[in-house]
Amino acid sequence: MTTSSPADAFLAEITDLFTRLGGLHYGEDVTQMEHALQAAHHAKLDDAPPALVAAALLHDIGHLMQKIGEDAADRGIDTRHEQIGAGYLARVFGPEVTEPIRLHVAAKRYRVAVDPAYGSRLSDASQQSLALQGGPMNADEIKIFLADPFAAAAQKLRGYDEAGKDLDAEVANFETYRALLRGLIDQAGKL
Ligand SMILES: [Fe+2]
């Protein structure tokens, strides 16, 4: 066996997380794995750049990390799943991947504030978590959110997230994204 590179080791760690814990449901009807693959699928359908496809695939990895105990959670920077996920992924990925993830809950809070009808279209689990996440943004929060260079990408990611909750979708498997993820890790040059 040849020794694997740090990038391969990181990819193996991520794949292991999804393989072991991707069957969990986290309040939605679809599993975490189905949700991740469907969100990435919608990003591809939308011709999103590779970084945003990766963000869609990995946006809820913080939920999986929370399941494996404090050790993994400690690698993040806070207890919120979007922060945990983005903090962990920032070890290898650039901001084009991690920032939309970090902002995907903010994007929901923004959208609910400016488009109340959107709130009623959210899944039950997403509506429930909204209150815990701070509810609709206030005017100051909206200003700060929109000033973020990744606000637009985060809103796109939010759309892929909402679309990725279909019980009957047929989508490509996790392994399909290996080369895309590897390319982004190499591009970020952090390892
Ligand atoms: Fe999600």
Side-chain angles (χ1 to χ4, degrees), residues 70-105:
E70 291 184 5
D71 218 25
D74 282 348
R75 293 174 185 162
I77 50 173
D78 164 314
T79 55
R80 294 181 293 167
H81 87 277
E82 73 279 16
Q83 297 283 7
I84 290 175
Y88 169 64
L89 295 169
R91 287 163 52 196
V92 304
F93 290 109
E96 299 78 11
V97 176
T98 59
E99 287 307 282
I101 293 176
R102 191 175 63 78
L103 291 170
H104 83 274
V105 170

